[in-house]
């Protein structure tokens, strides 16, 4: 969306002002996922935003795993996250970091705070801490342990580190203000005891830093200038600023919040995606009906389409949700001039051309993309017996039905006119064969102008066609009813997956490039499923249909 006026989003405005005023000379951003699940479309927004800013201002972009909480994390997710970030095109070069490698520095920061009288070891139970914290309308109450001496605190904290205490028996708290109107500032916990093995530091630590303490330190160590996060952290910003100031970092980073990306009636949260996987409602993290990056990739979305989508959505401070149709719009736009348009019949019925020579096959020149001549042409076999879509024939057509019916003539796409002469039904009344005659004069590209037909249908030659499976998708949740039922259960759409096992496609599909996306003419955009497709049993996913309900206002 290029325009004459260069408009900047609010983050770019802040950054430009910061550069102008000398707060920073270069921009350093990061994407800090917790390795506790697969990334989703919302993360894509954060990744592309952070990476885009670093690019735009000739800065640096870090990928940092925020692996400070060993209870929920798994190394499996580190690899999947790296793959997804790379696929989106966000290049972290050699700047891949792990928060866990800063544990020593974080510990030193905590010791510094204790020495400055800004942190203390507290023996209150978790319940008591909650009670003492107060509410939005009442101030908190000071812990009886708040005024321990620096020496005592240093000793107790060291004991915490050395495994002297049980989980939950002691915590280290920042000493800020129990009467602060901001609850986050009421002596927040910054370290807790947890006798747990960490996937990278092993058993070295039995105390782990809390997010609100660890995150600003991670940013500061890496020299991040703008720490961009989502809106729910806005109330934590005073604490963020407190930590980097009290830990005495020379050029402290600045936190900026933006609104999360939500899709209407689509499940995005990591937690909820995890639940769908664990309950077996979907076929793994990359089930093509989901919006994890892995799922979008498997479904056939391109990185370009996701980037276009993120651009279109923009960056705001206001929470809201975006229609899935916009994402579909982007993939259609991206593939429109890039994808080969090929013939595939999803619900086949036989069409026999009685006056076409038996056993003859001719190869027709078919444009790969009528809107992009540069894509050239390919040869498509044509013969006496074809498959067409069952819905392209009707025994008794309604008005304005221009496809095949007894006595009517249509164009076979890129081939000839055929006229329906008769048809055969089985004992159940199902049409099994349609018989036609063709007119050799009407070959596509021959310049024939003798008469016109109103309908054009696609086809594949039966003898050379490949039999394939096609999977059609709808939203995982029922769009009319919303994501959740009143009892909190998910409102699943029973038609979210349709498997068609008897589809036929032109033989050229055997030469498809890896990851190639296609338009199946009249049926939508498709790609081969990267998980289930084999040479013997090709499986195609429908990325999106051709019809669009989306309008850019
Ligand atoms: P979820 O809310 O889905 O569980 P999360 O916030 O727990 O995700 P993290 O790994 O902590 O996941 O997130 C990494 C980064 O991605 C954070 O900076 C977070 O703010 C950002 N992020 C997460 N969800 C979204 C979203 N829906 N839109 C934009 N950014 C997001
Ligand atoms: Mg999180």
């Amino acid at each position: 969306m290029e325009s004459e006026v260069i408009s900047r989003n609010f983050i770019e405005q802040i950054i430009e002002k910061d550069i102008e005023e000398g707060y920073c000379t270069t921009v350093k951003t990061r994407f800090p996922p917790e390795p506790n699940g697969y990334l989703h479309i919302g993360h894509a927004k954060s990744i592309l935003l952070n990476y885009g800013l670093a690019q735009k201002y000739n800065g640096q972009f870090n990928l940092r795993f925020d692996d400070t909480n060993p209870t929920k994390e798994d190394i499996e997710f580190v690899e999947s996250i790296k793959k997804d970030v790379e696929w989106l095109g966000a290049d972290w070069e050699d700047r891949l970091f792990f928060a866990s490698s800063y544990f020593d520095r974080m510990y030193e920061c905590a010791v510094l705070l204790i020495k400055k009288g800004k942190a203390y070891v507290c023996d209150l139970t978790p319940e008591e801490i909650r009670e003492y914290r107060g509410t939005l309308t009442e101030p908190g109450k000071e812990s009886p342990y708040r005024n321990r001496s620096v020496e005592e605190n240093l000793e107790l904290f060291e004991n915490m580190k050395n495994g002297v205490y049980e989980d939950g028996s002691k915590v280290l708290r920042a000493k800020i203000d129990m009467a602060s109107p901001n609850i986050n500032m009421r002596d927040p916990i910054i370290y807790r005891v947890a006798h747990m093995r960490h996937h990278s530091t092993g058993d070295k630590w039995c105390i782990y830093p809390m997010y609100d303490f660890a995150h600003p330190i991670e940013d500061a160590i890496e020299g991040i200038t703008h720490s961009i996060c989502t809106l729910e952290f806005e109330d934590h910003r005073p604490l963020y600023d407190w930590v980097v100031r009290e830990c005495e970092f020379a050029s402290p980073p600045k936190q900026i919040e933006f609104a999360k990306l939500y899709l209407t009636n689509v499940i995005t949260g990591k937690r909820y995606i995890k639940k769908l996987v664990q309950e077996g409602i979907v076929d793994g993290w990359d089930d093509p009906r989901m919006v994890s990056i892995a799922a979008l990739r498997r479904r056939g979305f391109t990185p370009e389409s996701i980037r276009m989508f993120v651009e279109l959505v923009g960056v705001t401070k206001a929470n809201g949700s975006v229609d899935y149709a916009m994402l579909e719009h982007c993939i259609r736009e991206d593939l429109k001039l890039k994808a080969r348009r090929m013939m595939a019949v999803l619900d086949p019925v036989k069409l026999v051309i009685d006056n076409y020579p038996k056993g003859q096959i001719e190869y027709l020149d078919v444009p790969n993309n009528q809107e992009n001549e540069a894509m050239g042409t390919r040869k498509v076999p044509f013969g006496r017996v074809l498959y067409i879509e069952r819905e392209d024939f009707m025994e008794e057509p309604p008005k304005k039905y221009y496809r095949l019916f007894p006595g009517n003539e249509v164009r076979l796409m890129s081939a000839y006119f055929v006229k329906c002469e008769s048809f055969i039904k089985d004992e159940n009344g199902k049409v099994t064969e349609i018989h036609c005659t063709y007119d050799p004069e009407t070959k596509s590209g021959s310049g024939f102008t003798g008469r016109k037909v109103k309908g054009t249908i696609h086809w594949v030659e039966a003898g050379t066609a490949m039999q394939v499976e096609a999977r059609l998708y709808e939203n995982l949740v029922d769009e009319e009813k919303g994501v959740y039922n009143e009892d909190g259960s998910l409102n699943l759409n029973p038609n979210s997956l349709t498997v068609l096992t008897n589809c036929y496609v032109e033989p050229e599909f055997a030469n498809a490039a890896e990851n190639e996306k296609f338009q199946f003419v009249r049926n939508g955009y498709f790609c081969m499923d990267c998980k289930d497709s084999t040479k013997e049993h090709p499986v195609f996913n429908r990325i999106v249909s051709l019809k669009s309900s989306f309008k850019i206002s």
Side-chain angles (χ1 to χ4, degrees):
M1 295 221 303
E2 300 263 314
S3 68
E4 290 282 318
V5 188
I6 300 170
S7 64
R8 293 182 175 81
N9 65 45
F10 79 96
I11 300 181
E12 292 166 342
Q13 289 171 16
I14 295 175
I15 290 179
E16 290 182 16
K17 189 156 172 279
D18 285 342
I19 294 173
E20 216 176 277
E21 293 178 354
Y23 160 77
C24 57
T25 48
T26 172
V27 172
K28 290 192 182 178
T29 59
R30 85 287 175 264
F31 175 64
E34 195 182 346
N36 62 354
Y38 280 65
L39 300 181
H40 53 65
I41 184 77
H43 295 114
K45 175 168 180 176
S46 177
I47 293 164
L48 294 171
L49 172 63
N50 280 292
Y51 176 68
L53 290 169
Q55 289 288 99
K56 179 161 184 176
Y57 298 103
N58 285 321
Q60 290 182 337
F61 167 76
N62 294 358
L63 174 60
R64 179 206 313 145
F65 285 97
D66 205 338
D67 57 348
T68 53
N69 179 6
T71 40
K72 296 183 296 175
E73 294 158 8
D74 202 314
I75 200 77
E76 166 200 348
F77 297 121
V78 169
E79 289 313 313
S80 76
I81 289 172
K82 276 162 72 177
K83 182 172 173 187
D84 291 347
V85 176
E86 195 175 351
W87 180 75
L88 283 171
D91 185 2
W92 62 83
E93 295 167 27
D94 57 352
R95 287 183 300 281
L96 172 66
F97 302 108
F98 289 84
S100 58
S101 66
Y102 310 140
F103 280 162
D104 286 300
R105 289 285 297 280
M106 290 175 193
Y107 182 80
E108 285 164 21
C109 286
V111 169
L112 175 67
L113 291 182
I114 294 173
K115 287 184 176 160
K116 291 168 70 172
K118 301 275 182 173
Y120 62 97
V121 174
C122 182
D123 301 1
L124 291 179
T125 63
E127 294 73 39
E128 286 168 330
I129 290 182
R130 217 170 300 129
E131 248 169 63
Y132 277 60
R133 190 171 290 136
T135 63
L136 284 172
T137 50
E138 286 168 57
K141 219 165 63 178
E142 295 192 349
S143 161
Y145 305 99
R146 197 173 200 259
N147 295 313
R148 277 175 163 154
S149 68
V150 168
E151 292 66 37
E152 189 182 0
N153 279 319
L154 284 174
E155 188 185 328
L156 292 173
F157 187 49
E158 192 169 352
N159 287 344
M160 276 172 67
K161 182 186 79 160
N162 291 337
V164 175
Y165 311 121
E166 276 171 35
D167 291 8
S169 60
K170 279 188 172 44
V171 291
L172 184 71
R173 298 176 69 173
K175 194 171 180 176
I176 309 179
D177 179 7
M178 289 308 290
S180 170
N182 183 340
I183 292 184
N184 295 305
M185 300 299 273
R186 296 183 188 167
D187 291 9
I189 299 172
I190 59 179
Y191 260 99
R192 66 197 166 113
V193 179
H195 291 267
M196 289 211 48
R197 214 187 143 69
H198 187 279
H199 61 82
S200 85
T201 57
D203 293 322
K204 174 169 177 194
W205 297 92
C206 63
I207 54 170
Y208 291 97
M210 303 302 286
Y211 180 88
D212 280 338
F213 176 66
H215 202 81
I217 295 177
E218 295 158 24
D219 286 340
I221 290 173
E222 290 174 16
I224 298 301
T225 54
H226 298 86
S227 175
I228 296 161
C229 65
T230 42
L231 232 40
E232 70 273 23
F233 291 102
E234 197 165 16
D235 289 346
H236 297 239
R237 189 177 350 125
L239 179 53
Y240 184 101
D241 292 339
W242 186 93
V243 170
V244 290
R245 187 178 66 244
E246 293 301 339
C247 294
E248 300 175 12
F249 284 98
S251 35
K254 176 185 265 196
Q255 175 178 305
I256 304 174
E257 309 87 14
F258 72 100
K260 271 195 173 178
L261 169 64
Y262 292 105
L263 291 176
T264 313
N265 289 332
V266 173
I267 298 162
T268 33
K270 245 186 216 173
R271 256 170 300 279
Y272 303 104
I273 292 181
K274 197 173 212 162
K275 202 163 162 238
L276 289 173
V277 175
Q278 283 168 349
E279 290 178 8
I281 294 167
V282 294
D283 163 34
W285 285 94
D286 58 354
D287 184 299
R289 289 168 293 180
M290 296 206 290
V291 291
S292 60
I293 310 274
L296 291 168
R297 180 168 55 232
R298 182 171 167 200
R299 174 89 169 248
F301 281 86
T302 57
E304 291 84 350
S305 66
I306 310 259
R307 286 202 287 267
M308 192 191 304
F309 174 68
V310 165
E311 286 273 309
L312 264 180
V313 172
V315 187
T316 66
K317 270 262 186 202
N319 272 320
S321 82
V322 178
D323 208 342
Y324 186 79
M326 191 154 142
L327 189 55
E328 295 188 319
H329 163 81
C330 294
I331 186 67
R332 283 192 199 101
E333 277 299 300
D334 184 41
L335 296 182
K336 191 163 77 180
L337 302 180
K338 287 205 299 211
R340 290 201 277 170
R341 300 178 183 181
M342 315 255 274
M343 293 199 275
V345 175
L346 300 184
D347 183 15
V349 63
K350 240 179 209 169
L351 181 149
V352 182
I353 304 172
D354 292 319
N355 62 338
Y356 194 87
K358 273 188 182 155
Q360 179 176 309
I361 292 285
E362 67 178 303
Y363 287 85
L364 303 172
D365 282 314
V366 178
N368 283 322
N369 186 323
Q370 290 83 345
E371 291 184 70
N372 181 2
E373 261 184 42
M375 290 185 68
T377 60
R378 69 183 182 286
K379 300 278 184 201
V380 178
F382 181 86
R384 188 169 190 267
V385 183
L386 312 174
Y387 289 117
I388 63 165
E389 299 285 355
R390 185 166 287 283
E391 63 166 31
D392 285 341
F393 171 81
M394 282 184 99
E395 185 179 350
E396 290 170 37
K399 270 199 178 131
K400 297 200 172 165
Y401 184 86
Y402 300 123
R403 291 168 274 168
L404 269 183
F405 53 87
N408 193 40
E409 193 174 42
V410 299
R411 169 172 290 290
L412 291 175
M413 195 176 281
S414 302
Y416 300 94
F417 286 7
V418 288
K419 184 175 171 190
C420 175
E421 306 289 354
S422 63
F423 59 94
I424 302 171
K425 285 203 263 190
D426 67 11
E427 63 273 23
N428 303 315
K430 193 175 171 190
V431 175
T432 53
E433 243 175 66
I434 300 156
H435 285 261
C436 293
T437 50
Y438 88 118
D439 178 353
E441 301 284 301
T442 59
K443 187 169 178 173
S444 237
S446 67
F448 174 78
T449 52
R451 61 186 185 279
K452 284 198 164 113
V453 288
K454 279 193 168 157
T456 299
I457 64 174
H458 64 276
W459 51 273
V460 294
E461 195 278 318
T464 50
M466 280 164 57
Q467 193 184 11
V468 307
E469 177 177 319
R471 297 176 181 174
L472 311 184
Y473 303 102
E474 282 179 21
N475 200 338
L476 199 53
V477 301
D478 189 313
E479 293 188 51
E480 305 274 288
K481 298 184 194 151
V483 179
Y484 301 102
N485 292 308
E486 270 172 21
D487 64 359
S489 60
L490 286 169
N491 222 327
L492 295 171
N493 170 9
N495 304 316
S496 61
L497 170 64
T498 304
V499 179
L500 304 171
T501 53
N502 186 38
C503 310
Y504 289 92
V505 300
E506 19 169 316
E508 177 58 23
F509 279 98
N511 304 320
E514 206 182 318
N515 295 322
E516 186 170 354
K517 320 285 184 259
F518 302 96
Q519 185 185 113
F520 284 11
V521 290
R522 300 172 65 218
N523 278 320
Y525 289 101
F526 286 73
C527 73
M528 264 191 212
D529 188 80
C530 59
K531 208 165 168 180
D532 297 339
S533 195
T534 61
K535 248 197 150 44
E536 296 70 41
H537 183 72
V539 176
F540 286 89
N541 295 326
R542 178 151 76 184
I543 312 168
V544 65
S545 67
L546 295 179
K547 288 183 218 84
S548 168
S549 56
F550 177 74
K551 301 266 177 306
I552 293 184
S553 49

